[in-house]
Amino acid sequence: MSLKRILPFLLLLILPPLVFFLIRSSPNLLGTHRDLGPAWSPDGQSIAFVSNLPLPGESYDRETMNLWRINADGSGLRPLTHKKKDSSGDVEGWMSWNPPVWSPDGKRLLFTTFTNA
């Protein structure tokens, strides 16, 4: 099979995550937050990812990571988890995490983490 025949399929696999990275990483150039592990839903309508974006009503904290979902057109950004610092200032977050994985029907996300507890 020639490269000319498979190039369109390669572009379909590479371009969506690349576009997501370029759109969502522009604030990263200023060091404000990190978006990691994007995963497209099976229907291509949304993306799940891990980020240290501030939760609604919270201030920015570079250490607190949460799972987020956004529509493919950039609308509808919403957190799926709500980890934040506790009253002592310790992060209720994860020491490490794995990128989210969608179920084949797109109704569920698998997201594994490891904590220091």
Side-chain angles (χ1 to χ4, degrees), residues 60-110:
Y60 170 74
D61 172 22
R62 69 182 182 88
E63 297 173 3
T64 306
M65 304 295 282
N66 277 289
L67 181 63
W68 293 78
R69 182 176 180 169
I70 191 169
N71 296 331
D73 65 4
S75 66
L77 176 66
R78 59 198 172 278
L80 300 176
T81 60
H82 296 84
K83 298 289 183 184
K84 54 187 172 183
K85 285 195 175 188
D86 62 19
S87 59
S88 68
D90 291 330
V91 177
E92 295 179 346
W94 309 302
M95 292 186 68
S96 64
W97 51 271
N98 293 312
V101 178
W102 291 90
S103 63
D105 64 5
K107 293 181 180 179
R108 294 186 182 99
L109 278 168
L110 172 66

